[in-house]
Amino acid sequence: MKKNVIFMALAAGMLLSSCASKKALTECQTEYKSLTTSLQTVREDLAAKNARVQSLEEQLAAQKAALLAQKKQMDNLQSSLDKSLTNASQNNISIEKLVDQINESNQYIRHLVEVKSKSDSLNMVLQNNLTRSLSKEELKEVDVQVLKGVVYISLADNMLYKSGSYEINDRAAETLSKIAKIITDYKDYDVLIEGNTDDVPISKTNIRNNWDLSCLRASSVVQALQNKYGVDPKRLTAGGRGEYNPLQGNDTELGRQRNRRTQIIITPKLDEFMDLIGKAPETE
């Protein structure tokens, strides 16, 4: 009898110990899952910040290149002027005629500079208005910059779409509404929506490859701008470039994340812009 009591006590102890061990294991598994999720979130946030830093560095490099190009243009103009003066001296061209030619050239150059300055100023205002309207959280996933007279709004794919899909998610609505307002305010600009992907293959019943995915995503944004936010569809164009317009290599997560993007490209209407440039100033 005594032996049975001892055996039952030992069994009960082992059972309690087993239950405690299972509970501890479950708690460890839950904590591990939570830590894994947090680590992935931190990694994604870090990749987004690194992408933003690199984008700003690229903008700075582009601005430096533009300044160098302007300096080169001025040097070329000076060289052309010096050459004209030399030719005039050698060919006995009257100073008055040469001055008239130079004045006409300078007047047209000033006209072109004014046209470009007007376009650049409008673009900078557009960029500033949009940037100010976006929250700090939105700016982590939306990159706005002006390059060569064109405004580029680059949106991260995980902000716009459901994973591996071309359907726009709910949290993109507020950001798209702000972009739509800017587009509506600047009626003399055309808008191209361009989808881009990384080179990771996709295989779904309704999406054959990355070409399909990039085009469908661009089309989704175009239709949202038209149907939900009232942007004139005559100003909109949808296009996809698949994996063939990368910003970086696809061998790192950061590179793939930067390549998976949708760009809203806002540019002056080409025919009106060319007409404006083609109007040379009248000379007496």
Side-chain angles (χ1 to χ4, degrees):
M1 180 69 178
K2 187 176 180 180
K3 288 182 178 181
N4 289 338
V5 171
I6 294 172
F7 177 76
M8 291 176 64
L10 289 172
M14 292 176 64
L15 181 61
L16 289 172
S17 176
S18 175
C19 290
S21 297
K22 287 182 178 179
K23 183 180 179 181
L25 178 60
T26 301
E27 290 176 350
C28 287
Q29 289 175 335
T30 302
E31 184 177 1
Y32 175 76
K33 183 181 291 187
S34 175
L35 289 173
T36 301
T37 302
S38 299
L39 177 60
Q40 182 62 27
T41 300
V42 170
R43 284 176 174 171
E44 291 177 355
D45 187 52
L46 179 61
K49 284 183 170 61
N50 287 337
R52 178 63 175 164
V53 168
Q54 184 157 357
S55 174
L56 292 173
E57 289 175 344
E58 290 170 356
Q59 289 184 50
L60 180 60
Q63 290 174 353
K64 288 181 178 178
L67 287 173
L68 288 174
Q70 289 178 353
K71 184 179 182 301
K72 184 177 180 180
Q73 186 177 21
M74 294 301 296
D75 291 342
N76 289 339
L77 287 173
Q78 183 63 52
S79 175
S80 177
L81 178 58
D82 293 342
K83 185 176 180 180
S84 296
L85 290 171
T86 301
N87 290 338
S89 176
Q90 291 175 350
N91 298 321
N92 296 320
I93 298 176
S94 69
I95 296 298
E96 290 80 5
K97 184 176 181 181
L98 179 61
V99 169
D100 288 341
Q101 292 176 353
I102 292 173
N103 286 337
E104 288 179 8
S105 298
N106 288 341
Q107 192 173 358
Y108 188 57
I109 290 170
R110 284 195 298 271
H111 169 73
L112 294 180
V113 170
E114 287 173 2
V115 170
K116 186 177 185 303
S117 297
K118 182 180 178 181
S119 175
D120 289 346
S121 297
L122 285 173
N123 288 341
M124 292 304 296
V125 171
L126 188 157
Q127 180 189 24
N128 292 335
N129 288 345
L130 178 57
T131 302
R132 281 198 300 268
S133 71
L134 298 173
S135 67
K136 290 183 179 180
E137 289 302 314
E138 287 173 318
L139 285 172
K140 293 179 181 179
E141 299 175 302
V142 180
D143 182 32
V144 185
Q145 56 181 301
V146 177
L147 295 174
K148 297 182 179 179
V150 178
V151 179
Y152 291 85
I153 306 170
S154 186
L155 302 103
D157 72 319
N158 58 348
M159 186 274 287
L160 269 180
Y161 313 104
K162 298 175 182 178
S163 179
S165 169
Y166 56 86
E167 294 182 23
I168 296 176
N169 62 37
D170 295 334
R171 75 187 186 98
E174 184 175 355
T175 303
L176 282 179
S177 68
K178 295 174 182 178
I179 294 174
K181 183 180 184 309
I182 294 294
I183 293 173
T184 304
D185 289 345
Y186 290 82
K187 300 183 183 299
D188 293 331
Y189 284 71
D190 284 328
V191 183
L192 167 64
I193 314 298
E194 180 184 276
N196 295 270
T197 71
D198 57 26
D199 66 349
V200 178
I202 184 169
S203 178
K204 290 194 173 184
T205 54
N206 60 334
I207 303 176
R208 293 170 296 181
N209 49 42
N210 283 327
W211 276 116
D212 277 1
L213 180 60
S214 64
C215 292
L216 288 168
R217 285 182 165 179
S219 178
S220 292
V221 174
V222 162
Q223 292 179 66
L225 291 174
Q226 175 189 352
N227 299 329
K228 292 185 177 180
Y229 307 111
V231 178
D232 184 356
K234 294 178 182 178
R235 299 173 56 198
L236 300 172
T237 301
R241 303 188 67 176
E243 64 203 63
Y244 301 104
N245 183 37
L247 293 176
Q248 292 188 352
N250 286 294
D251 52 343
T252 65
E253 176 55 35
L254 174 60
R256 290 190 293 273
Q257 183 173 8
R258 289 211 66 198
N259 294 335
R260 296 191 302 267
R261 69 200 187 281
T262 295
Q263 288 190 308
I264 299 178
I265 303 171
I266 306 176
T267 181
K269 291 183 177 179
L270 186 60
D271 53 351
E272 296 178 7
F273 188 70
M274 294 305 295
D275 286 343
L276 187 60
I277 289 180
K279 293 177 182 178
E282 296 181 358
T283 58
E284 296 181 358

